[in-house]
Amino acid sequence: METLLNLGLPLQIMLALSLIFAGAVQGSTGFGFGMLGAPLLAMIDPGLVPAPVLMTGLIITLSTSIRERQAIDRRGLTISLAGRLIATGLAVATLSMLDPVAFSYLFAAVILFAVVLSASGIKVAHNAATLIVAGLASG
């Protein structure tokens, strides 16, 4: 698999671990690992996304969910997960057709687009329709 940054393997591993650590610290503040770590990990080596990023996100999400279980909006979670399950199947089919380098650029662009939307200050109503769209987008 071709990497975008031509670094030696030990340096790539050290850089990847540093990004994961920085993302975990960033995630503890509520901003999220995917916004910083995922695009940079994709540039180091396309093999580092999406599986390692998703597994890291799963661990952080599970630990936060256990800690904050009283605050979970179960109805909203159910609706958004329905959208996510639908989109996940489509995403798997799409990703299997993409070249790893093209995927890394697409993945980085999608994350950066999400950052721009987040920073834009656009307010979205919290209802069933927006939750299903959010679930589809996250899938």
Side-chain angles (χ1 to χ4, degrees):
M1 187 175 292
E2 183 180 328
T3 63
L4 297 176
L5 297 177
N6 294 322
L7 305 172
L9 185 60
L11 186 55
Q12 280 185 332
I13 291 171
M14 288 175 40
L15 186 56
L17 289 174
S18 298
L19 288 170
I20 289 171
F21 176 76
V25 171
Q26 179 191 23
S28 70
T29 64
F31 194 68
F33 172 67
M35 298 283 190
L36 171 70
L40 298 174
L41 286 172
M43 290 188 332
I44 293 170
D45 187 343
L48 296 175
V49 290
V53 174
L54 292 173
M55 294 308 293
T56 303
L58 177 65
I59 292 167
I60 292 172
T61 301
L62 284 176
S63 62
T64 303
S65 297
I66 291 167
R67 186 183 68 224
E68 302 292 334
R69 63 186 168 274
Q70 299 84 4
I72 294 174
D73 173 11
R74 285 170 174 65
R75 179 183 171 275
L77 178 64
T78 303
I79 294 169
S80 61
L81 281 178
R84 185 175 189 133
L85 288 174
I86 293 166
T88 299
L90 296 171
V92 167
T94 303
L95 291 177
S96 67
M97 294 184 261
L98 282 178
D99 171 64
V101 174
F103 169 74
S104 65
Y105 285 116
L106 176 65
F107 190 74
V110 168
I111 297 297
L112 292 174
F113 178 69
V115 170
V116 169
L117 283 178
S118 180
S120 73
I122 295 173
K123 301 293 181 203
V124 178
H126 185 83
N127 57 43
T130 57
L131 286 171
I132 197 99
V133 169
L136 286 166
S138 73

